[in-house]
Amino acid sequence: MAKWWTLVAVTVATFMLLLDVTIVNVALPSIERDLHSSFTDLQWVIDAYALTLAALLLTAGSLGDGMGRRRVFLIGLGIFTAASALCGFATTPLMLNLARALQGVGGACMFGTGLALLATAYSGRDRGTALGVWGATIGVAVAVGPLVGGVLVQAIGWEAIFFVNVPIGIGAIALTLARVAESRDPSGAGIDWAGTVTFSGALFLLVFGLIRGNAEHWSAAIIACLLGAAALLVAFVVVELRSADPMLDLALFRKPAFDGASIAAFVLSAAMFAMFLYLTLYIQNILGYSPLQSGLRFLPLTLLSALVAPLSGKLAQRLGVRWFLSGGLLLVSVGLMLMHGITPTDGWTTLLFGSMVCGVGIGLVNPALATAAIGVVDPRRSGMASGINSTFRQVGIATGIAAWGALFTHQVQATFLSEANTSGFANRIPRGGNVSDFISFGGAQQTHNQQLIHAADVAFDAGLNHILLIAAMVALAGAVLSAVLVRPADFVSARAPAEQPA
């Protein structure tokens, strides 16, 4: 019975983390208005969390293997709960983003050990059931997040979306202390400081360069950031190859199935989850819906994801994860293509069918990713394996937000200025980097100038269509690579004995 309490604790923590992500998306326009945030600030609300989460996941997984996964999981719960309260008390964009970065530290400890706790508690058919429930939890959190977020933001304020984590976190801490058994890898090494510093530095410079690129006109400093990111990434690989106990065992990537699962995790997050920021801005700031109305319009996507995930978790064990990874990403690609082609005369229903197809795709991929992440390694290495997979998820979100933002703002600004010059009202709009903010935050709608509003709608639609098309191509490439790389021969037998709790 104890193993089922482990499932409850991990799924509650996962629910809290994923609920936070989807709630934040709905609240971003309200945060912008209340804290006077820029478009860059809003990108950092998501990326500050994703960056620290991605940078520390590998370290947390290795740390959990060595000092105890339950202990590290508890530390993460405590940090995340306290940071959520700090987010709610934030009075400036900088304060909010620093608190979000602290949330990422806690999230790394939880994500880096959660799947490993399940892997050591379950084996055989029970493992498939547990991963199916875990996948369903992701779906449910994504499903109710926009709706809960809309209710909280509209009834109380954006601060409530962070305060809601506090009682959930306290409950998860109590349950883990009372019911979850400790487990560890006796051969686990200490923290790989050199790997941590080079990896986190590379991620920060990459995302910073992408986010600030347009505003700095891709100056020498921005190019230096991107080159520095590449250099640090190479240094990270060299460090890990020379380390006796690396936090990222590069030998895992010799298995094509592990490569395919890592690529699928990155692509799903970059192509789909990073897109929610831009879809939210479209629904709320361009179409004029409230946070609650916006949340309701995401429900078809999120509910389908929640309904499909449990079935996917069960069938992936029997039929092979390859078809669920590649098939799900293919559906995400098709869904993004169906959403592409927005015009100023369209309403929110133009997104409906495409978003539903994406929801089915997400539901197919998520449980299969969990199975693949820990299914190709010895159970004693499950902490590192799950950490790597979760890292690729968060790197996908962070780089997706930044890359789409660079493409989006460039396209929006260029299209809008062209429309303004053609129509003869260029003197009525803000200059420089504020143009994309002016459009994305509904500045044109507030002028009640129909000519200006139409030009802004054309520009925003051009930017959104541009990144939807590119994201669809990325998802398609991920589907092909998953189908080619994920091979049944790479998987450890499901009958392998699970590690005994410590």
Side-chain angles (χ1 to χ4, degrees):
M1 184 63 187
K3 65 182 181 181
W4 297 111
W5 285 116
T6 300
L7 177 61
V8 172
V10 172
T11 52
V12 166
T14 301
F15 180 83
M16 177 173 64
L17 288 166
L18 271 296
L19 186 72
D20 184 73
V21 172
T22 51
I23 280 180
V24 167
N25 279 315
V26 175
L28 287 174
S30 298
I31 292 173
E32 174 268 316
R33 288 188 291 270
D34 195 19
L35 299 185
H36 307 291
S37 306
S38 66
F39 185 78
T40 296
D41 292 330
L42 292 190
Q43 288 179 288
W44 279 114
V45 170
I46 300 174
D47 272 0
Y49 173 80
L51 262 180
T52 52
L53 181 54
L56 298 177
L57 263 171
L58 297 174
T59 299
S62 298
L63 191 62
D65 286 345
M67 67 179 287
R69 294 157 185 159
R70 173 179 175 269
R71 180 180 299 176
V72 174
F73 185 75
L74 278 168
I75 291 171
L77 278 169
I79 293 174
F80 187 90
T81 303
S84 295
L86 291 176
C87 287
F89 289 119
T91 55
T92 66
L94 177 61
M95 182 178 176
L96 174 60
N97 290 332
L98 289 175
R100 287 284 287 166
L102 186 60
Q103 271 190 315
V105 175
C109 294
M110 296 159 65
F111 270 19
T113 55
L115 270 179
L117 285 171
L118 294 183
T120 55
Y122 296 91
S123 62
R125 183 173 297 178
D126 283 349
R127 179 181 287 185
T129 300
L131 293 178
V133 172
W134 182 82
T137 300
I138 293 177
V140 171
V142 172
V144 304
L147 184 59
V148 172
V151 171
L152 291 174
V153 172
Q154 202 153 313
I156 302 174
W158 63 265
E159 298 89 347
I161 67 172
F162 297 110
F163 289 139
V164 74
N165 290 330
V166 176
I168 299 175
I170 291 173
I173 290 171
L175 176 61
T176 303
L177 284 170
R179 298 290 185 176
V180 176
E182 184 61 281
S183 69
R184 57 171 54 87
D185 177 3
S187 62
I191 297 178
D192 179 2
W193 288 112
T196 300
V197 170
T198 52
F199 186 69
S200 58
L203 285 181
F204 176 79
L205 289 178
L206 173 63
V207 171
F208 180 84
L210 290 173
I211 287 179
R212 293 295 303 165
N214 281 318
E216 301 290 338
H217 304 291
W218 302 98
S219 64
I222 295 299
I223 300 301
C225 284
L226 298 178
L227 292 175
L232 284 175
L233 188 59
V234 171
F236 171 71
V237 172
V238 172
V239 166
E240 297 307 284
L241 287 173
R242 293 184 176 181
S243 174
D245 294 297
M247 69 178 189
L248 191 158
D249 185 359
L250 296 176
L252 291 175
F253 291 97
R254 295 173 185 168
K255 288 190 174 184
F258 192 80
D259 298 341
S262 300
I263 290 170
F266 175 89
V267 166
L268 180 65
S269 293
M272 189 65 242
F273 291 119
M275 194 62 62
F276 280 113
L277 165 61
Y278 305 97
L279 294 175
T280 299
L281 291 176
Y282 174 68
I283 291 173
Q284 290 195 36
N285 290 346
I286 303 302
L287 298 184
Y289 289 104
S290 69
L292 177 55
Q293 291 170 329
S294 175
L296 287 171
R297 281 154 179 80
F298 280 116
L299 276 180
L301 182 156
T302 54
L303 284 176
L304 279 172
S305 174
L307 291 173
V308 171
L311 181 63
S312 172
K314 281 284 190 181
L315 294 180
Q317 288 277 337
R318 302 175 188 174
L319 304 179
V321 299
R322 171 195 296 187
W323 310 116
F324 289 83
L325 292 178
S326 59
L329 287 175
L330 180 61
L331 287 179
V332 168
S333 177
V334 171
L336 291 168
M337 282 298 298
L338 290 171
M339 286 190 275
H340 174 265
I342 299 168
T343 69
T345 58
D346 288 330
W348 76 274
T349 53
T350 194
L351 302 174
L352 181 58
F353 186 59
S355 68
M356 293 173 67
V357 173
C358 286
V360 175
I362 293 169
L364 289 176
V365 172
N366 268 325
L369 273 179
T371 300
I374 61 178
V376 298
V377 302
D378 186 284
R380 290 172 297 177
R381 305 300 289 159
S382 57
M384 178 178 290
S386 64
I388 291 172
N389 189 262
S390 296
T391 296
F392 273 87
R393 288 176 183 263
Q394 299 307 314
V395 171
I397 290 177
T399 56
I401 288 285
W404 303 151
L407 295 169
F408 173 81
T409 54
H410 175 77
Q411 186 69 42
V412 167
Q413 182 165 313
T415 303
F416 188 61
L417 291 177
S418 175
E419 288 282 322
N421 289 326
T422 301
S423 302
F425 56 81
N427 61 329
R428 302 185 188 180
I429 60 177
R431 314 307 288 171
N434 290 328
V435 171
S436 59
D437 288 9
F438 174 73
I439 297 167
S440 299
F441 298 151
Q445 281 75 6
Q446 296 170 18
T447 67
H448 304 292
N449 182 310
Q450 293 305 311
Q451 192 178 29
L452 196 62
I453 292 172
H454 177 75
D457 287 347
V458 169
F460 191 97
D461 293 347
L464 185 55
N465 285 327
H466 187 54
I467 60 176
L468 282 169
L469 179 61
I470 298 174
M473 296 300 100
V474 170
L476 179 60
V480 173
L481 289 172
S482 296
V484 171
L485 293 172
V486 178
R487 308 177 307 178
D490 290 335
F491 284 76
V492 177
S493 172
R495 293 186 296 273
E499 176 188 349
Q500 296 300 313

